[in-house]
Amino acid sequence: MKPKVALVLSCGGARGMAQIGVIEELGKAGFEISSVAGSSIGSVIGGIYAAGKLQEFSHWVKNLDKLDVYKLMDYSVSKSGFIKGDKVFKELHKFIPDSNIEDLPIPFVAVAADLIKRKEEVIASGSLYQAIRSSIAIPGVIVPNKVNGTSLVDGGVIEPVPIEFVQRTEGDILVVVDLNAKVNYNPPGISNANIGKKQLQYDELVKRIRKKLGFPKKHDFMDTMKFGYFDILYSSITLMQEKLSQRTIAMHKPDILIQIPRSACKTFEFYRASELIEAGRDEFKKQFQKWMEEQKAISKTV
């Protein structure tokens, strides 16, 4: 029998693509992922994996360039966020149908934050896409998802690494991916072919968006909202996430911890998916080797 894994996937924007590499390597190493819990981008990767559609998603995201990413951002005039967050789901619907979480072949939960009840919302049933939409609503950036009279926002606000909500079984191995680690980033040796594609169209679109939203002329939206209010908001949230992640990981002590540094990429650099997937793959291999050596050492003492 394959060793079972309880997999926990964290928040971290485009860095979440590294989690695809981790999942692929878990399979190659002979593990069976028996349950998944995800927060924010972790809910995207975890939910799509639980639905059996990670390969299709990986193919799609690896072919996105800068312009494609911009086109997926449906800008809003709402005071609660300047991205609606609906356009990307319409695109995903073209090749990944929605389904109820309770019908997925692998137990899965998405974690969001309930602004009304002021607590985490652990979503283990109902529409997979609605659960993901709730979990990725970055405060002040993506409009909150209103469900049953309450407003749900990014799970990373309260549970950036949702270890305590993953379903455990006797003898399973706890594998956690932390996308907010304070470690050095060593880029894998592959090129980012999608960065420069359609550059002229991209530049023209950026100009129009800047003018419409009143951004400073030299501001790049992909630069994680580095301006005034959003700069302060983003910095505050990321600091909180780092501290919460550290405490949660120290408390639960995962069997295998894969750490992807916050410096690996900016929040919306999804056009770097190929690089980030490879980075996740490389880091898993390193940590898996360490874990194997620890298991051998333990077996010798028994």
Side-chain angles (χ1 to χ4, degrees), residues 175-230:
V175 177
V176 173
V177 184
D178 175 20
L179 300 175
N180 299 289
K182 295 181 71 174
V183 296
N184 293 328
Y185 180 56
N186 298 310
I190 64 172
S191 63
N192 290 309
N194 291 343
I195 290 181
K197 290 168 62 179
K198 306 176 186 174
Q199 191 65 47
L200 292 177
Q201 291 174 280
Y202 165 81
D203 291 341
E204 183 58 35
L205 181 60
V206 171
K207 289 179 182 178
R208 294 203 303 269
I209 292 171
R210 285 173 178 161
K211 184 176 180 180
K212 182 177 180 180
L213 298 181
F215 290 169
K217 290 184 178 180
K218 293 186 178 181
H219 167 69
D220 186 342
F221 177 75
M222 290 293 187
D223 193 22
T224 54
M225 296 75 72
K226 292 282 185 183
F227 58 103
Y229 168 77
F230 290 109

Side-chain angles (χ1 to χ4, degrees), residues 156-302:
V157 169
I158 192 167
E159 292 288 347
V161 187
I163 297 176
E164 65 178 288
F165 302 110
V166 70
Q167 181 175 309
R168 303 298 304 273
T169 57
E170 186 176 355
D172 66 9
I173 298 166
L174 178 62
V175 177
V176 173
V177 184
D178 175 20
L179 300 175
N180 299 289
K182 295 181 71 174
V183 296
N184 293 328
Y185 180 56
N186 298 310
I190 64 172
S191 63
N192 290 309
N194 291 343
I195 290 181
K197 290 168 62 179
K198 306 176 186 174
Q199 191 65 47
L200 292 177
Q201 291 174 280
Y202 165 81
D203 291 341
E204 183 58 35
L205 181 60
V206 171
K207 289 179 182 178
R208 294 203 303 269
I209 292 171
R210 285 173 178 161
K211 184 176 180 180
K212 182 177 180 180
L213 298 181
F215 290 169
K217 290 184 178 180
K218 293 186 178 181
H219 167 69
D220 186 342
F221 177 75
M222 290 293 187
D223 193 22
T224 54
M225 296 75 72
K226 292 282 185 183
F227 58 103
Y229 168 77
F230 290 109
D231 185 22
I232 296 171
L233 176 64
Y234 181 78
S235 296
S236 300
I237 290 174
T238 55
L239 176 60
M240 176 185 65
Q241 288 173 343
E242 286 178 7
K243 296 301 181 182
L244 286 174
S245 298
Q246 291 169 8
R247 292 175 184 175
T248 301
I249 291 167
M251 183 184 302
H252 292 277
K253 296 179 174 59
D255 296 295
I256 301 177
L257 173 63
I258 296 92
Q259 293 184 299
I260 306 298
R262 177 171 290 280
S263 61
C265 76
K266 297 167 185 174
T267 303
F268 291 97
E269 290 184 334
F270 290 95
Y271 53 86
R272 293 174 60 188
S274 294
E275 173 198 342
L276 295 162
I277 291 170
E278 197 64 27
R281 195 188 310 281
D282 289 349
E283 187 58 26
F284 173 81
K285 289 177 181 177
K286 293 176 186 176
Q287 299 308 319
F288 175 64
Q289 184 61 38
K290 289 181 182 178
W291 180 79
M292 288 291 289
E293 291 171 359
E294 290 172 358
Q295 298 309 299
K296 289 179 182 178
I298 293 172
S299 63
K300 288 180 180 180
T301 62
V302 175

Side-chain angles (χ1 to χ4, degrees), residues 22-188:
V22 172
I23 291 173
E24 291 176 349
E25 288 302 315
L26 277 167
K28 290 179 182 178
F31 290 103
E32 176 190 345
I33 298 174
S34 56
S35 60
V36 184
S39 183
S40 195
I41 191 63
S43 73
V44 177
I45 304 302
I48 289 174
Y49 170 74
K53 296 294 183 179
L54 189 62
Q55 185 175 358
E56 291 87 340
F57 178 84
S58 178
H59 175 76
W60 173 72
V61 76
K62 285 193 289 189
N63 283 283
L64 295 178
D65 59 29
K66 270 189 173 183
L67 183 61
D68 295 326
V69 174
Y70 263 91
K71 286 182 176 179
L72 288 171
M73 295 180 185
D74 43 357
Y75 294 96
S76 168
V77 294
S78 170
K79 292 182 180 179
S80 57
F82 59 83
I83 297 176
K84 295 177 184 177
D86 299 329
K87 201 169 184 180
V88 67
F89 287 99
K90 290 181 181 179
E91 189 66 26
L92 290 175
H93 263 293
K94 294 178 181 178
F95 58 97
I96 302 176
D98 193 9
S99 55
N100 287 326
I101 294 174
E102 60 268 32
D103 296 331
L104 299 178
I106 298 173
F108 167 73
V109 297
V111 179
D114 190 324
L115 295 180
I116 306 299
K117 298 178 182 177
R118 302 177 67 82
K119 63 186 288 291
E120 73 276 352
E121 179 75 11
V122 183
I123 308 171
S125 62
S127 163
L128 174 62
Y129 278 165
Q130 281 299 310
I132 293 172
R133 173 64 181 81
S134 298
S135 186
I136 65 168
I138 303 171
V141 180
I142 299 176
V143 176
N145 196 27
K146 294 188 177 180
V147 180
N148 298 325
T150 194
S151 293
L152 301 179
V153 298
D154 198 298
V157 169
I158 192 167
E159 292 288 347
V161 187
I163 297 176
E164 65 178 288
F165 302 110
V166 70
Q167 181 175 309
R168 303 298 304 273
T169 57
E170 186 176 355
D172 66 9
I173 298 166
L174 178 62
V175 177
V176 173
V177 184
D178 175 20
L179 300 175
N180 299 289
K182 295 181 71 174
V183 296
N184 293 328
Y185 180 56
N186 298 310

